[in-house]
Amino acid sequence: MILVGLTACAAGATGATGATEGATDTAAAVEMPEKLVFAQIPSESAEGIAEDNEAIIRVIEEETGLEVELQEVTDYAAVIEALRAGQVQVAGLGPFSYMVAKDGGAGVELLGSLVDAPEDEPGYQSYGIVKAGSDITDLAGFAGKTVCFVDPTSTSGLLYPSAGLLELGIDPEDDVTPVFAGGHDASALSVADGTCDAGFAYDTMVDHELIEAGSLQEGQLEVVWESKMIAGSPYVASDKLPAELLEQLKEIFADSLNIPAMVESGICTSEDDCTLPEDSGYGFVPVEDTLYDGVREVCEITQAPACKV
């Protein structure tokens, strides 16, 4: 199921089953792929990316009749370039990387985002955190301190925190000592063990994931700042796919990739048996591009180099 290098899949992924020799209209010139390459980036704490995405792949394969090959990658930039080159047809992106892909002309269409209930709006928050008992009580107190961020392309681990600091007149590069921890879990744990005076991580990492994993004790960290709601991470498809297949994928994500539908179709034997990424309690709902305008606004505030598309 897992592929190696992105470039290795290009020819196979775009190979056509039906020749269109002599076709004269644009629609006929778009060839149906032999398979779909699905690129996914594991979350910082997750293992078993194949297990997390097994149900998604089964549903897509059963409804489209196409083989799906899962490609695990560690870099959003590589996924965006593979989408641009037509080497990847379906991908999971972060909100920031989606904005970069969409506005940078990589050719992506939204399929949906995960939620815990069908009425939920996809989203989450970034937390500013300190060790329990710290004399830092708010974001202004981060000035002059050693501060853990996640990585230079992280939405909730750098971009939104930087906007919050800048709104207080604190330069996230010059007015703190920045440390890139490499992951949300690493950032939170570095604050807990005192490596950093303060830091940032997404909400469920602090509230649930590290505690449930036994890596963090409840009450070991204090939340002193919460970001605005950040749009949920979207799944996208390449706009280079045939229009009818692209529309079918949108319908699959809207109608078939949720726990009730997967139980009814027999993909899962029960709701408890259904595993989805992010431990979603429901599944996918459709999202619109305007949901990600908040990311664009934060880019305007921060003028972060990574925002340049």
Side-chain angles (χ1 to χ4, degrees):
M1 179 180 295
I2 307 293
L3 292 183
V4 292
L6 281 168
T7 55
C9 61
T14 56
T17 54
T20 54
E21 184 177 355
T24 56
D25 61 273
T26 302
V30 180
E31 299 172 340
M32 185 68 72
E34 292 180 345
K35 59 187 176 185
L36 297 172
V37 178
F38 173 21
Q40 179 66 290
I41 295 177
S43 68
E44 291 79 354
S45 64
E47 295 181 354
I49 188 173
E51 181 181 353
D52 281 352
N53 290 279
E54 182 180 358
I56 296 173
I57 291 170
R58 282 186 62 195
V59 171
I60 295 175
E61 287 184 335
E62 287 188 8
E63 297 207 15
T64 66
L66 295 170
E67 177 188 357
V68 177
E69 291 188 340
L70 179 63
Q71 174 127 27
E72 180 180 341
V73 295
T74 57
D75 187 337
Y76 279 128
V79 178
I80 292 170
E81 289 311 308
L83 283 162
R84 191 192 309 277
Q87 297 172 340
V88 162
Q89 289 73 49
V90 179
L93 296 175
F96 174 58
S97 53
Y98 163 72
M99 186 277 291
V100 171
K102 184 69 175 180
D103 295 359
V108 295
E109 294 284 337
L110 287 166
L111 295 175
S113 186
L114 290 159
V115 294
D116 289 325
E119 65 274 15
D120 286 353
E121 181 171 293
Y124 63 107
Q125 289 179 287
S126 170
Y127 281 172
I129 50 176
V130 298
K131 189 175 182 179
S134 169
D135 59 359
I136 301 172
T137 58
D138 55 26
L139 195 60
F142 284 31
K145 303 296 186 182
T146 299
V147 177
C148 270
F149 297 94
V150 174
D151 70 54
T153 62
S154 175
T155 310
S156 57
L158 177 68
L159 195 62
Y160 274 70
S162 294
L165 290 168
L166 287 167
E167 286 176 340
L168 295 174
I170 301 170
D171 189 309
E173 294 183 0
D174 297 331
D175 295 335
V176 304
T177 302
V179 175
F180 287 111
H184 290 264
D185 51 351
S187 179
L189 293 174
S190 294
V191 174
D193 69 15
T195 302
C196 289
D197 301 314
F200 298 95
Y202 65 73
D203 49 10
T204 56
M205 180 62 72
V206 177
D207 290 338
H208 303 295
E209 294 180 30
L210 289 175
I211 295 171
E212 291 168 1
S215 303
L216 192 70
Q217 299 295 315
E218 197 161 351
Q220 199 171 349
L221 293 175
E222 294 179 358
V223 178
V224 297
W225 174 79
E226 296 179 2
S227 73
K228 297 176 182 177
M229 188 63 70
I230 304 170
S233 298
Y235 281 60
V236 302
S238 169
D239 68 2
K240 300 172 184 63
L241 291 171
E244 64 273 24
L245 178 56
L246 188 55
E247 190 60 34
Q248 185 182 21
L249 287 170
K250 291 179 179 178
E251 292 174 359
I252 289 170
F253 274 74
D255 301 330
S256 303
L257 281 173
N258 58 73
I259 290 175
M262 288 191 288
V263 172
E264 184 176 350
S265 66
I267 292 292
C268 305
T269 56
S270 69
E271 292 193 0
D272 291 339
D273 178 52
C274 264
T275 299
L276 288 168
E278 302 178 23
D279 291 327
S280 171
Y282 175 73
F284 288 91
V285 294
V287 289
E288 301 289 338
D289 178 73
T290 53
L291 184 64
Y292 300 91
D293 284 348
V295 179
R296 297 181 174 102
E297 290 171 5
V298 169
C299 274
E300 285 295 317
I301 293 171
T302 62
Q303 292 295 307
C307 293
K308 309 299 182 186
V309 296

